[in-house]
Amino acid sequence: MVMDMAIQTISTTAFDDQNPGTSGLRKKVKVFQKPNYVENFIQSIFNSVGDVSGKLFILGGDGRFFNKEVIQKILKMAAANKVGHIKVGLNGILSTPAASHLIRKYKAFGGIILSASHNPGGPSGDFGIKYNISNGGPAPEKVTKAIFESSKNITSYKIEDCGDIDIAKLGKTQIGSMVVEVIDPVVDYANLMEELFDFDLIRKAIAGGLTFRFDALNAVTGPYAHEIFEKRLGMKKGTVVNGTPLPDFGGRHPDPNLVHAHDLYELMMSEDGPDLGAASDGDGDRNMIVGWKRFVTPSDSLAILAANAKLVKGYRNGIAGIARSMPTSAAADYVAKKLGLNIYETPTGWKFFGNLLDAGKVTFCGEESFGTGSNHVREKDGLWAILFWLNLLAATGKSVSEIVEQHWQLFGRSYYTRHDYEEVDQTAAKALIEDLRSRLGKLAGTDVAGLTIAKADDFSYHDPIDGSVSEHQGIRIFFEGGGRIVYRLSGTGTAGATVRIYMEHYVADPLKQDDNTQEALAALIVAADELVDLKKKLGRDAPSVIT
Ligand code: G1P
Ligand code: ZN
């Protein structure tokens, strides 16, 4: 038996708010900085996920403020909890998809990813801790619930009494009986991308004049993008902008959408914009795709990738099916129907895709919130989606606009928009949803803003693989003629509440596919307001973000 005299057991008092949300535990940095806050949550993970002794874990984060301090705490606590081996990204860096890949590749027991995704960073920004299981994916609800239960009753945690580990250089060191291995965060991931996509073909297209711009938004994908786009694909220096991860993301929201990646959007709409523009978020799992003068909605992107999968090396033999989150548009459904693929509708959050991917029911998954991915990992993957589009442009020789328009002609167009009301009063937001929920039974057949409601429900998901049921996953209002509105409260915000309204309308006839999304959805936008007296109840004139 190895006696480890340095293990300390420290008494602590439980917090009552360590309940993981849509994507891990996410709070203001200031909350995580409270004494024992991080320690309690990490110990709750070790208490809930089974016997960790001697096991391998993957550890890293998006490099935001407080990342390094938390990495040190986790290393010391893992050693004290008898973990056998931790692979940690150099300087504590790992993108979320890269971490997922490492868990799978090295058959780790699990992984801890430090990220608040697209939320702002810095001392007054957000921080987050996410636990991933051995399939590489986010812990399912049964695990996150167990962690939360443990956190409510915790009375002590274990930690090694030792100095900080040098994570700024590659190689192995030891804490107690645990090996700490500092690894290159990029190489395994970049190799995986080379297996899936035809790098030769993309290189040829670039040599032939295909132009590209990638905005890393000062977040984690910078080093990955420099390696993949500039080094391995030979694109010119400067293709990747904002490519150095900063602890506060340069004061910006590292969120790849029309509002926060505005510079890129402007460039893409300008006369001399490149053929393809793309951005990713804080931890590298989101993507925004913009062609020259053509924004591609994430819902359309998922459908287009699925429809064209056979053109891409890693999916040449076709795909089994597609899963999309419920608020995502039905564009993928039309593809699945026409091509005879499986299609699943899951609640918001990537954790619901894991079972379907593991069971081989689906190959591609996507969410309207700029998330797309495949069975190569168990997270959404920003650079994967971007490389897919590059591969598609190279394989077809078409422009983004041509690909999108031809897709609509073939499969119909799902007009789609999401309106977010951020940081509104929590009580008012909850009351709004509760009120609507209480009226659900009486809505069918009634009119709102000149539209007739065909059906209304509160989405609940029955997982076809493990039989688990997740209720209250968003309120759906279906209209006669095919329109849909979804109302849900965000599970990732850290201040007040965020109300999300998703609106969608399908037009099959190419001659009626008028081009302005907000205009095409105008009637639904009015109905969404009238049905719940939205603006008045939230005390807002307009949404904070429209995507
Ligand atoms: C948001 C998105 C959701 C995504 C999650 C994590 O969650 O809407 O699709 O999975 O971020 O990136 P929400 O804040 O809506 O709960
Ligand atoms: Zn993210």
Side-chain angles (χ1 to χ4, degrees):
M1 201 176 103
V2 185
M3 284 288 285
D4 194 339
M5 305 306 288
I7 294 179
Q8 296 182 317
T9 301
I10 312 273
S11 299
T12 187
T13 315
F15 294 91
D16 62 3
D17 66 345
Q18 299 197 321
N19 192 10
T22 310
S23 187
L25 183 68
R26 201 175 289 184
K27 304 274 177 199
K28 292 275 171 220
V29 167
K30 290 198 168 59
V31 175
F32 275 103
Q33 283 172 327
K34 289 186 202 169
N36 293 344
Y37 197 87
V38 168
E39 289 84 347
N40 279 18
F41 189 67
I42 297 298
Q43 187 64 52
S44 302
I45 293 176
F46 289 134
N47 290 349
S48 321
V49 298
D51 181 11
V52 299
S53 55
K55 302 278 167 51
L56 168 67
F57 282 79
I58 304 296
L59 174 62
D62 63 15
R64 66 178 60 225
F65 182 83
F66 209 41
N67 193 65
K68 284 188 177 160
E69 289 85 340
V70 175
I71 295 264
Q72 293 295 338
K73 287 181 202 279
I74 294 175
L75 289 173
K76 293 171 194 174
M77 289 185 65
N81 280 278
K82 297 291 167 212
V83 167
H85 182 177
I86 286 202
K87 285 181 192 278
V88 56
L90 185 68
N91 292 313
I93 294 281
L94 280 182
S95 79
T96 289
S100 183
H101 174 52
L102 292 169
I103 294 171
R104 296 169 66 74
K105 176 166 180 182
Y106 296 106
K107 302 198 167 33
F109 184 81
I112 299 177
I113 305 174
L114 308 179
S115 167
S117 189
H118 50 287
N119 295 17
S124 56
D126 293 346
F127 193 78
I129 302 180
K130 218 170 78 164
Y131 182 70
N132 280 30
I133 58 173
S134 61
N135 74 350
E141 276 189 337
K142 97 172 168 283
V143 177
T144 55
K145 276 184 185 151
I147 296 172
F148 181 43
E149 284 312 310
S150 167
S151 77
K152 289 192 284 193
N153 303 310
I154 193 165
T155 55
S156 67
Y157 63 85
K158 289 197 182 117
I159 189 160
E160 282 271 348
D161 183 19
C162 63
D164 280 359
I165 304 300
D166 183 3
I167 53 168
K169 71 173 198 288
L170 299 174
K172 288 185 182 167
T173 43
Q174 190 107 9
I175 313 181
S177 55
M178 183 182 87
V179 175
V180 180
E181 182 184 357
V182 180
I183 58 166
D184 180 328
V186 174
V187 64
D188 284 308
Y189 177 82
N191 291 346
L192 175 65
M193 293 301 114
E194 271 200 69
E195 282 169 31
L196 296 174
F197 300 107
D198 194 335
F199 276 37
D200 280 338
L201 194 70
I202 301 174
R203 260 191 295 265
K204 271 189 209 127
I206 296 289
L210 178 71
T211 50
F212 176 57
R213 163 76 63 96
F214 176 73
D215 193 336
L217 300 177
N218 305 312
V220 80
T221 46
Y224 295 85
H226 281 302
E227 170 71 21
I228 293 170
F229 299 130
E230 293 175 352
K231 246 172 104 187
R232 300 199 185 188
L233 286 169
M235 296 182 189
K236 64 172 193 289
K237 287 242 165 343
T239 297
V240 175
V241 297
N242 300 315
T244 305
L246 302 175
D248 68 347
F249 309 116
R252 296 167 61 171
H253 278 245
D255 198 0
N257 63 30
L258 301 179
V259 175
H260 299 303
H262 194 70
D263 302 350
L264 178 71
Y265 184 70
E266 290 281 285
L267 173 74
M268 296 311 298
M269 296 302 128
S270 72
E271 281 314 309
D272 44 2
D275 298 310
L276 180 68
S280 189
D281 72 330
D283 60 331
D285 56 359
R286 292 189 175 199
N287 73 89
M288 178 170 86
I289 300 292
V290 199
W292 183 60
K293 297 201 172 180
R294 169 72 64 189
F295 168 66
V296 186
T297 71
S299 298
D300 276 346
S301 181
L302 172 66
I304 291 169
L305 302 193
N308 294 289
K310 287 187 178 169
L311 295 177
V312 169
K313 184 166 122 187
Y315 308 96
R316 195 151 282 159
N317 297 327
I319 60 172
I322 318 166
R324 64 164 173 89
S325 69
M326 179 276 282
T328 303
S329 95
D333 304 29
Y334 296 103
V335 173
K337 211 167 160 197
K338 215 172 192 148
L339 305 186
L341 303 169
N342 295 332
I343 178 86
Y344 292 88
E345 187 178 29
T346 59
T348 296
W350 209 262
K351 59 181 174 235
F352 294 102
F353 294 135
N355 280 345
L356 295 169
L357 289 165
D358 286 350
K361 300 281 185 201
V362 301
T363 310
F364 288 179
C365 304
E367 294 193 276
E368 51 63 44
S369 52
F370 298 82
T372 331
S374 91
N375 61 352
H376 68 292
V377 289
R378 290 294 179 276
E379 291 276 6
K380 55 188 178 257
D381 188 345
L383 290 172
W384 174 87
I386 294 160
L387 282 163
F388 202 119
W389 270 94
L390 277 171
N391 201 149
L392 216 53
L393 296 179
T396 59
K398 290 179 189 159
S399 70
V400 172
S401 272
E402 285 167 334
I403 291 176
V404 169
E405 280 161 20
Q406 286 169 10
H407 184 89
W408 291 340
Q409 282 165 17
L410 218 59
F411 297 97
R413 174 173 184 182
S414 297
Y415 286 95
Y416 187 84
T417 190
R418 181 175 111 184
H419 288 196
D420 292 333
Y421 291 80
E422 293 179 338
E423 300 192 17
V424 296
D425 179 66
Q426 204 148 23
T427 318
K430 280 194 181 144
L432 185 145
I433 296 288
E434 282 312 318
D435 169 61
L436 181 57
R437 189 171 282 139
S438 73
R439 292 189 283 136
L440 280 179
K442 295 177 290 214
L443 288 179
T446 63
D447 286 358
V448 53
L451 301 173
T452 306
I453 297 176
K455 199 176 94 182
D457 67 9
D458 189 355
F459 181 61
S460 76
Y461 178 61
H462 296 246
D463 187 303
I465 311 299
D466 68 12
S468 62
V469 178
S470 303
E471 287 178 314
H472 305 307
Q473 298 295 324
I475 293 181
R476 306 189 290 184
I477 313 288
F478 299 93
F479 292 90
E480 278 174 11
R484 183 184 79 156
I485 302 175
V486 174
Y487 295 82
R488 62 173 284 279
L489 295 181
S490 156
T492 59
T494 58
T498 292
V499 180
R500 304 200 196 284
I501 325 273
Y502 312 78
M503 284 152 289
E504 166 182 8
H505 179 60
Y506 176 72
V507 176
D509 183 352
L511 297 175
K512 292 189 184 140
Q513 292 171 355
D514 171 283
D515 210 19
N516 186 316
T517 299
Q518 299 299 314
E519 269 168 34
L521 294 168
L524 282 173
I525 294 171
V526 174
D529 187 23
E530 276 188 22
L531 186 61
V532 294
D533 208 2
L534 184 71
K535 292 189 176 127
K536 196 157 144 235
K537 287 219 176 111
L538 298 180
R540 294 284 172 89
D541 297 335
S544 339
V545 179
I546 296 180
T547 47

